[in-house]
Amino acid sequence: MNNQVKKISFRIGILPCIAFVLFVLKAPVTTAQSLTSTPPPIANEYGEYIETVQKATFRYFRDFAHPVSGMAPERTATPNIVTTGGTGFGIMAIITGAERGWISRAEATQMLQKIVGFLEKADRFHGVWPHWLDGRTGKVVPFSQFDDGGDLVETAFLVNGLLSARTYFGENNASEKDLRLRIDKMWREVEWDWHVQNGKLLWHWSPNHGWKMNHPIRGFDETFITYVLACGSPTHPVAAQVYENTYKQSSYYKNGNTYFGYKLPLGMDMGGPLFFTHYSWLTLDPRLMQDDNVYYWTQNLHHTLINRAHCLQPRQAMFGYGVGNWGLTASDDYNFYDAHSPANDNGTISPTAALSAFPYTPYYSMQVLRNLYLREGSRLFGPYGFYDAYNKNLNWYSNQYLAIDQGPIVVMMENYRSGLFWKLGERTPELWAGVQKMGIRRPTHPTGFYAYAPDFRTGYVDLWKHPDQGAFVLDFAVNGTAPVGLAILDEEGKEVRKLIDSRSFAEGMHQHLFQIQQGKYILELTQGTSRQRLKVFLHEAVNANP
């Protein structure tokens, strides 16, 4: 992660329904067989685009992996400087490759054994890895003058990937057993509590400069996962009070303002860069997380929609923004690197911003993917997927790939497609021990449509037929034991099709898969005398035109 980002983090025609499936969001089983038992996706144009982009991006972590360490280079221009945090994302990309059949499970295991073997011998400081390592020797490469020791946040990104591998590679054979044991040993050696000074959790420690960097890890930003792991550590945990006294004590923890009709509970003005909604949420399912301040799904969804709405403002047209060209986050730009956001916008679009938002805004993210691939692909798409960034207004196109931008694309697209890493995260006990210690609980929603926010211009929620499922997927919640009904109405309120006719459900979050011709409708969810309505625009095709 670029040093500038760290500094900013511290500062700031109606057809009948032909099929439906209903299931409850609940904890999945963890066996390898269950994780790979999902039937192959239904072949269709949009699914092929997703597969092409996701697979090409994965190749950064297979084909461009460092030949000695197996780790992910920081960027294509510096192949011998490997990044710990980016490698954590890369480990999840390798898991995706095994799950999708792009590589064999055995090959993935071998790749991870190589990385783990290198990490075991590489420089560590009280169990904490530095931001950068020399991929040939395992020696620390200073990230800045005083940043030549342990980096707790980058270590958290790395450990999160390692724990995903420990959970995923659960078969009862020698190689996977060995991989799990070695990962578990390194995880237990991380001294999170060493980084607590005067009751605050600090980002860096150096054997040469001690605590000179003196950067408390404050939020709300990308560092959230650090506290989850630090609180959940079985060997070197930090107290919940450290989280309260450090992360929540900043000028940009609470927000509460409304932008373009979207209320943002936490974070910087207009949300900040979009990677805040990616890095910590690769394995943490925000749908399952609520505390006294925020429902984290709403936080991440609204942050993403604010970012998009800013790009669609008429004044931003000078940058060439549009429905197929939005997404501001930290990335390269024509001045080298910056943390782009609605409050810091120089016209640079970073593909990782919208593509890593697929779980939150699938239709809007697909509009960007289609536009960038079809209209800009000759200059923006290369051997490892989309290059890091471009500025249409200045005709500037990056020639670089960055591990920390490529990794979340693969992982978050997979979370949209199958929920793989959110399932793995839910079955990683230390993550949820940390979450609970931080005062975060599973939400209790009233009966209704909990997961949506409408387009700020139209008032409709844009739902896109899931390309792998071949159906529209509707999320809703049930509270209480009274039977529930679900119907599709036309825009005048006349019933078109009854999807659920007075059925009882367990309390919690559910999904309903259905087929109908694309168009504008009203969805009505009833329970007793309560009626909840949602205006939706159901899309089969994806329109990326302005």
Side-chain angles (χ1 to χ4, degrees), residues 173-392:
N173 59 56
S175 60
E176 294 195 18
K177 281 183 178 178
D178 175 70
L179 181 65
R180 293 195 300 273
L181 288 172
R182 294 163 71 188
I183 288 173
D184 196 63
K185 181 175 184 295
M186 291 194 298
W187 149 239
R188 290 171 177 271
E189 291 169 348
V190 179
E191 297 180 26
W192 308 91
D193 52 349
W194 166 260
H195 279 252
V196 178
Q197 296 291 309
N198 299 317
K200 299 189 182 300
L201 190 64
L202 301 187
W203 197 311
H204 312 89
W205 180 80
S206 162
N208 301 309
H209 309 288
W211 304 105
K212 188 175 180 64
M213 294 283 288
N214 194 29
H215 280 166
I217 304 175
R218 296 191 172 110
F220 183 79
D221 57 18
E222 80 281 11
T223 63
F224 182 82
I225 188 67
T226 311
Y227 284 92
V228 174
L229 291 166
C231 288
S233 170
T235 51
H236 297 279
V238 305
Q241 197 60 38
V242 174
Y243 167 63
E244 297 288 336
N245 290 343
T246 316
Y247 192 73
K248 292 186 176 182
Q249 301 305 313
S250 79
S251 61
Y252 56 91
Y253 177 71
K254 285 188 178 181
N255 188 305
N257 294 316
T258 298
Y259 309 93
F260 312 112
Y262 306 115
K263 186 174 182 179
L264 189 68
L266 306 178
M268 300 174 183
D269 183 36
M270 299 182 76
L274 272 186
F275 75 95
F276 293 178
T277 68
H278 305 153
Y279 290 7
S280 285
W281 306 97
L282 302 178
T283 57
L284 296 175
D285 185 345
R287 297 172 299 181
L288 305 181
M289 297 173 61
Q290 168 88 52
D291 65 21
D292 292 339
N293 294 313
V294 61
Y295 176 43
Y296 286 93
W297 173 262
T298 299
Q299 170 70 28
N300 290 349
L301 175 63
H302 285 193
H303 184 168
T304 306
L305 291 172
I306 290 165
N307 194 289
R308 174 181 178 267
H310 162 81
C311 292
L312 297 186
Q313 294 304 298
R315 64 182 178 272
Q316 304 309 114
M318 63 181 179
F319 293 138
Y321 293 168
V323 296
N325 192 40
W326 62 271
L328 308 177
T329 193
S331 73
D332 280 356
D333 65 16
Y334 57 90
N335 289 319
F336 180 57
Y337 195 94
D338 205 349
H340 311 103
S341 73
N344 181 37
D345 183 5
N346 64 9
T348 300
I349 292 294
S350 315
T352 188
L355 299 187
S356 299
F358 252 99
Y360 311 124
T361 56
Y363 181 72
Y364 303 148
S365 295
M366 190 64 193
Q367 287 179 307
V368 174
L369 187 155
R370 287 264 293 176
N371 176 62
L372 296 187
Y373 192 89
L374 294 175
R375 296 194 176 108
E376 305 291 345
S378 63
R379 298 180 64 181
L380 196 58
F381 196 84
Y384 308 131
F386 289 108
Y387 289 103
D388 198 53
Y390 88 119
N391 190 306
K392 190 176 182 70

Side-chain angles (χ1 to χ4, degrees), residues 9 35 80 221 242 267 377 388 427 431 435 476 498:
S9 296
L35 291 170
N80 286 315
D221 57 18
V242 174
D388 198 53
R427 302 305 296 174
L431 288 180
V435 162
F476 67 97
K498 188 177 293 296

